[in-house]
Amino acid sequence: MVEKVQIHTDKSPAAIGPYSQAIRCGNLIFTSGQIPLTPAGELVSQDVQEQTHQSLRNIKHILEAAGSSLDRVVKTTVFISDMNDFPLVNQVYQQYFQPPYPARSCVQVARLPRDVKVEIEAIALV
């Protein structure tokens, strides 16, 4: 049986509920959705591009704590509160990933925690 290992780093905000920042299971890391909070738990700004940067920085730090990196991401899910922001999110997103890009889903949702504009989760290889 494959063991689940909790991943935690102080370089990303602590979980704001009953969940882990990430779980390593075998050679995969599953991050929880990362919203644009600083490690201190403060919202970075109201700008969707700054929020996207912070969400991806949080994922980067979590993956590094797990012994992985953004280069090892195979799948992401991006949740946005307004599909009109999709091009702006993409402008930032492509700065963090290189071809071949991870598989990705992007969905508009009615509301996100703390009323942020973007939340991103990832699956990566160790």
Side-chain angles (χ1 to χ4, degrees), residues 13-21 33 35 37 41 113-114:
I16 57 174
Y19 60 89
S20 301
Q21 287 177 328
I35 61 175
L37 300 181
R114 304 239 182 133

Side-chain angles (χ1 to χ4, degrees), residues 44-79:
V44 70
S45 86
Q46 290 297 327
D47 178 78
V48 71
Q49 289 189 305
E50 288 181 30
Q51 288 193 10
T52 304
H53 276 292
Q54 186 63 49
S55 296
L56 289 166
R57 280 192 296 265
N58 291 342
I59 289 172
K60 176 183 180 287
H61 294 306
I62 292 166
L63 293 176
E64 289 171 350
S68 188
S69 68
L70 289 173
D71 292 337
R72 310 261 330 187
V73 172
V74 295
K75 171 74 166 80
T76 62
T77 305
V78 179
F79 304 94

Side-chain angles (χ1 to χ4, degrees), residues 7-124:
I7 306 299
H8 175 77
T9 179
D10 292 334
K11 293 182 178 181
S12 293
I16 57 174
Y19 60 89
S20 301
Q21 287 177 328
I23 293 289
R24 177 179 173 176
C25 187
N27 68 339
L28 293 175
I29 301 160
F30 300 84
T31 72
S32 291
Q34 295 300 303
I35 61 175
L37 300 181
T38 66
E42 300 295 324
L43 179 61
V44 70
S45 86
Q46 290 297 327
D47 178 78
V48 71
Q49 289 189 305
E50 288 181 30
Q51 288 193 10
T52 304
H53 276 292
Q54 186 63 49
S55 296
L56 289 166
R57 280 192 296 265
N58 291 342
I59 289 172
K60 176 183 180 287
H61 294 306
I62 292 166
L63 293 176
E64 289 171 350
S68 188
S69 68
L70 289 173
D71 292 337
R72 310 261 330 187
V73 172
V74 295
K75 171 74 166 80
T76 62
T77 305
V78 179
F79 304 94
I80 56 178
S81 61
D82 184 349
M83 195 56 78
N84 291 318
D85 289 335
F86 186 68
L88 297 171
V89 170
N90 271 341
Q91 287 175 7
V92 174
Y93 183 94
Q94 69 185 7
Q95 296 174 36
Y96 288 82
F97 298 103
Q98 303 300 317
Y101 295 112
R104 180 179 78 177
S105 301
C106 182
V107 294
Q108 178 176 312
V109 295
R111 193 170 179 201
L112 289 165
R114 304 239 182 133
D115 293 317
V116 300
K117 296 179 181 186
V118 65
E119 178 174 1
I120 303 171
E121 63 184 24
I123 301 170

